[in-house]
Amino acid sequence: MYPWIWRHLPGNAWVKSLIALVLVLAVVYALFQYVFPWAEPLLPFNDVTVDNNGMQAVTP
Amino acid sequence: MRSRRAVRALSELCLTSGALVVLFVVYLLYWTGVRADSAMDGEIGRLRDQWARHGGSAAVAPPTVPDAPPGEPRPDAAPPAPAPVPAPADGTGVTAPAVPGATASPAPPASPAPRTGGTAAPAAPPRAGAAFAVMYVPRFGTDWAKPVLEGTGLDTLKRGLGHYEGSAPLGGTGNFAVAGHRRTHGDPFKDLPRLRPGDAVLLTDGTTWFTYRVDTRPYRTAPTDTRVLDPVPAAAGYAAPGRYLTLTTCDPEWGHSHRLVVWAHLETTAPAAP
């Protein structure tokens, strides 16, 4: 995959490196902004309440 | 040639997934903390601005809390009260244990706690997701200050501590229950296990300072144990109705199999802007 991307980037090695860097940063941004916030509730670190739903059920 | 391509694809896959895991750990341990710290600072700043606009001189720093030695009531710790507020007729909230911290079991009701009536409960419940108070816990450090927001939703808990909807209002009779992250999102309740009976938990809503005293060592329970949020939580050893505070977080530190709970009772209230 990576060699394939490298071959299809335009320009000489310097330009390719620059574009690759921008691509990497874009991927990291997308991960931090969208993917990880979505994945985080699937992990146990967010469960700090005692039976959230039960408590809200008794709320008028 | 074919096996070579397979090995190459496999190694690329391993590299990619490894990088993903490392990035996710960085996100959890570092980035959520950065985001939460700035969000919590923003909430506290907005609250203080709001209080400064509406309430004259706002409370920007906790009053000096005497670390009352267990077993010794400190009459001078109580703020100068113009007149003692008469206790409610039904006797709610007047039986503060006289010995905060000597034992987790309830101390016999001694004398009515000074000034725990009247000024307490705010009129209207705060809007869901809105900050309405700031909590200070000297045990967690002198610079530890976190906003308390209404509700315990995931997005709410990213911006501070969450007040269980339906539990008592701040300073009110019943159980004022607050949840917070132990890990990730700024680690607000990281040191909750270090709380000990007699520790102070201070809260202000801009007009009043509420000083709660911790009564129990951290109590480990099941995630479904909502009885810890009862108006009179029996597991804390309380017997009579009163003005209680419950703090909950997850246990173990990185898990979700249990919850850690700490209870406190309202000891004194003081006007924030004398």
Side-chain angles (χ1 to χ4, degrees):
Chain A
M1 180 175 78
Y2 297 121
W4 182 88
I5 294 174
W6 185 257
R7 275 199 306 275
H8 285 75
L9 288 175
N12 60 23
W14 285 107
V15 177
K16 285 183 181 212
S17 307
L18 201 69
I19 296 173
L21 188 70
V22 169
L23 279 178
V24 167
L25 288 179
V27 169
V28 170
Y29 174 83
L31 285 174
F32 272 55
Q33 198 66 25
Y34 304 106
V35 180
F36 290 158
W38 165 82
E40 199 199 352
L42 310 176
L43 286 156
F45 313 125
N46 285 292
D47 300 330
V48 295
T49 59
V50 284
D51 202 4
N52 211 353
N53 299 323
M55 189 61 199
Q56 277 158 359
V58 299
T59 308
Chain B
M1 196 61 192
R2 173 165 299 175
S3 67
R4 191 173 187 164
R5 285 181 63 155
V7 168
R8 172 178 282 175
L10 193 69
S11 58
E12 280 184 357
L13 194 70
C14 290
L15 273 174
T16 308
S17 49
L20 264 180
V21 168
V22 167
L23 279 173
F24 190 53
V25 169
V26 168
Y27 168 83
L28 278 178
L29 297 191
Y30 176 72
W31 190 241
T32 61
V34 171
R35 296 289 296 270
D37 283 341
S38 83
M40 290 193 269
D41 287 348
E43 295 287 348
I44 290 180
R46 266 197 296 283
L47 271 180
R48 284 176 179 162
D49 286 351
Q50 194 182 323
W51 295 340
R53 272 200 309 276
H54 297 297
S57 62
V60 290
T64 53
V65 182
D67 265 333
E72 187 192 340
R74 290 277 297 271
D76 57 319
V85 179
D90 58 355
T92 52
V94 298
T95 56
V99 187
T103 168
S105 65
S111 58
R115 284 174 49 76
T116 46
T119 58
R127 194 165 41 83
F132 63 95
V134 180
M135 182 185 285
Y136 300 83
V137 182
R139 168 75 74 178
F140 296 166
T142 47
D143 56 347
W144 192 96
K146 303 290 174 198
V148 184
L149 285 68
E150 181 66 10
T152 51
L154 288 182
D155 286 335
T156 306
L157 288 171
K158 286 179 181 174
R159 291 179 289 128
L161 308 173
H163 170 230
Y164 284 87
E165 286 173 49
S167 70
L170 175 56
T173 300
N175 197 344
F176 178 71
V178 174
H181 279 290
R182 181 152 171 206
R183 278 299 181 179
T184 71
H185 295 291
D187 308 343
F189 274 169
K190 183 182 64 170
D191 290 330
L192 197 82
R194 291 178 52 218
L195 278 178
R196 288 295 175 267
D199 284 351
V201 177
L202 290 110
L203 286 132
T204 180
D205 61 359
T207 58
T208 311
W209 279 102
F210 302 90
T211 306
Y212 287 88
R213 281 284 165 203
V214 173
D215 288 319
T216 64
R217 293 175 75 91
Y219 172 81
R220 200 159 178 258
T221 190
T224 53
D225 185 11
T226 54
R227 285 168 305 164
V228 302
L229 304 179
D230 281 350
V232 183
Y238 299 129
R243 297 158 194 273
Y244 300 123
L245 168 76
T246 303
L247 308 175
T248 71
T249 192
C250 63
D251 192 79
E253 208 164 355
W254 294 100
H256 63 160
S257 61
H258 290 78
R259 300 291 180 270
L260 211 59
V261 185
V262 169
W263 286 285
H265 69 273
L266 185 63
E267 188 175 69
T268 55
T269 61

